[in-house]
């Protein structure tokens, strides 16, 4: 079983919460240092000591609360903002000259951290609410606001609202990206299922139809029914209606997916071992198919080797189906170090111009899904060259670096 690709996305908010954690600790230390440096000027220094002691304990004890949005509850935000407002309003009590000298408040710039927490948690509306309360507290504390006070209040108000708006935009972008990745994963799964259906069920139905028509009698009726089912199934595949179920919508499927993931992880060591592409292509060699390969092993990651071999098998199926059982085919394997190229060529009548587009319209997706779809998923390309009366050549290229992903 191929090792499943895992994409781990880090929330865009996580760096903001980390920055806020560091900001709260640093500004708490700054507030303490400012108070210590101005300690002798405070008439009631004990008020400042008591408040800053509470501030320091609260800041350090609540670090987990500002680690992420889930831990940062509304109740915590309310208490945190209350502490900031209390510190601002207690400043004139601790220093009666604070209003006249326009000095810093007891919490200083730590109060902005409370506003930023509101911004990151709830967006610009929450930021506007919190910053407005802090602005009102600063204006009350100053009594007669100066130009510097108004400037600082306006700066905090605008900055917090801007950060809140950026957070909302980031969340919306992250949700859009998650939805796009989900749609891409679902599309790839549908294409994979469509390839499997084409390479198995549709091929069998087509063979039953041909053999039944050739035998006649009751077998012809069976062939006709198989042909009808083939057309219906091709229509379903080409319309993109192959059903897929998300594990999040089905608990039982979710448990199964987790089990498969565990099995994949247990086999990761075996999956990492590269396989020789030649061993997968060797069974195709025969009287009608010639295989030319390098003398040294052509090593690829197991998923890439299997998908490339399946694409070669699909190309040979097309040769047998459209060029006839008597057509001769050649497989050429080339290892260029940074990429592997496999070429499948036949001496059939070739493909008339516009036939591939017509086949896709009829639901015959052999080239589109079984060949090009597989190579696209590997990060490679599939080029088809056909000249009427001179056969067809399919060139499959797989970049080695991408093939190992």
């Amino acid at each position: 079983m191929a090792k499943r690709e895992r994409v781990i996305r880090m929330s865009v908010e996580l760096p903001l919460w980390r920055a806020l954690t560091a900001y709260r600790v640093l500004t708490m230390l700054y507030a303490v240092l400012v108070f210590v440096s101005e300690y002798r000027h405070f008439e009631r220094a004990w008020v400042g000591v008591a408040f800053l002691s509470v501030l320091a304990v609260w800041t350090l004890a609540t670090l987990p609360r500002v680690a992420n949005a889930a831990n940062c509850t509304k109740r915590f935000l309310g208490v945190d903002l209350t502490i900031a407002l209390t510190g601002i309003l207690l400043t004139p009590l601790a220093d009666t000259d604070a209003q006249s000298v326009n000095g810093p408040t007891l919490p200083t710039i730590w109060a902005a951290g409370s506003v930023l927490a509101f911004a990151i948690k709830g967006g610009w509306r929450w930021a506007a609410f919190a910053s407005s309360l802090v602005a009102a507290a600063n204006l009350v504390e100053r009594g007669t606001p100066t130009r510097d006070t108004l400037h600082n209040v306006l700066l905090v108000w605008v900055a917090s609202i801007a950060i809140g708006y950026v957070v909302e935009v980031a969340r919306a972008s992250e949700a859009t990206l998650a939805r796009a990745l989900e749609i891409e994963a679902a599309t790839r799964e549908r294409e994979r299922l469509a390839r499997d259906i084409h390479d198995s069920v549709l091929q069998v139905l087509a063979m039953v139809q041909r053999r039944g028509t050739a035998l006649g009698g009751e077998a012809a009726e069976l062939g006709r029914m198989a042909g009808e089912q083939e057309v219906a199934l091709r229509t379903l595949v080409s319309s993109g209606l192959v059903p897929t179920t998300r594990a999040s919508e089905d608990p039982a499927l979710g448990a199964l997916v987790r089990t498969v993931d565990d099995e994949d992880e247990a086999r990761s060591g075996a999956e990492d071992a590269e396989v020789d592409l030649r061993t997968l292509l060797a069974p195709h060699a025969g009287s009608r198919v010639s295989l030319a390969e390098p003398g040294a092993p052509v090593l690829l990651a197991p998923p890439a080797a299997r998908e490339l071999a399946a694409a070669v098998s699909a190309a040979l199926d097309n040769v047998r189906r459209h060029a006839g059982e008597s057509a001769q085919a050649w497989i050429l394997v080339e290892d260029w170090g940074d990429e592997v190229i496999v070429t499948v060529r036949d001496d059939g009548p070739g493909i008339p111009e516009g036939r591939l587009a017509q086949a896709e319209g009829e639901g015959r997706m052999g080239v589109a899904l079984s060949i090009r779809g597989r190579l696209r998923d590997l990060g490679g390309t599939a080029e088809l060259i056909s000249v009427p009366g001179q056969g067809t050549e399919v060139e499959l290229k797989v970049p080695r670096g991408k093939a190992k992903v």
Side-chain angles (χ1 to χ4, degrees), residues 9 175-190 244 246 248-249:
R9 294 189 299 108
T176 301
L177 175 61
R179 178 58 180 162
L181 292 175
E182 183 179 330
I183 293 174
E184 180 185 8
T187 301
R188 288 183 179 275
E189 179 64 11
R190 288 189 179 94
T244 57
R246 289 183 294 177
S248 60
E249 297 175 350

Side-chain angles (χ1 to χ4, degrees), residues 1 16-17 23 37 63 83 120 209 252 258 268 270 276 292 385:
M1 182 178 293
L16 296 176
W17 289 111
Y23 178 87
S37 66
L63 289 180
I83 291 177
I120 300 175
Q209 181 187 20
R258 288 191 293 272
S268 60
D276 188 356
I385 302 173

Side-chain angles (χ1 to χ4, degrees), residues 52-106:
L52 291 174
S53 298
V54 172
L55 181 67
V57 172
W58 171 259
T59 301
L60 297 177
T62 58
L63 289 180
R65 289 289 187 177
V66 290
N68 52 61
N71 293 343
C72 188
T73 62
K74 292 181 180 180
R75 182 177 180 181
F76 163 76
L77 290 174
V79 175
D80 196 62
L81 184 60
T82 299
I83 291 177
L85 297 177
T86 302
I88 295 173
L89 297 176
L90 282 177
T91 302
L93 180 62
D95 181 10
T96 55
D97 294 331
Q99 294 181 338
S100 60
V101 300
N102 199 29
T105 60
L106 287 176

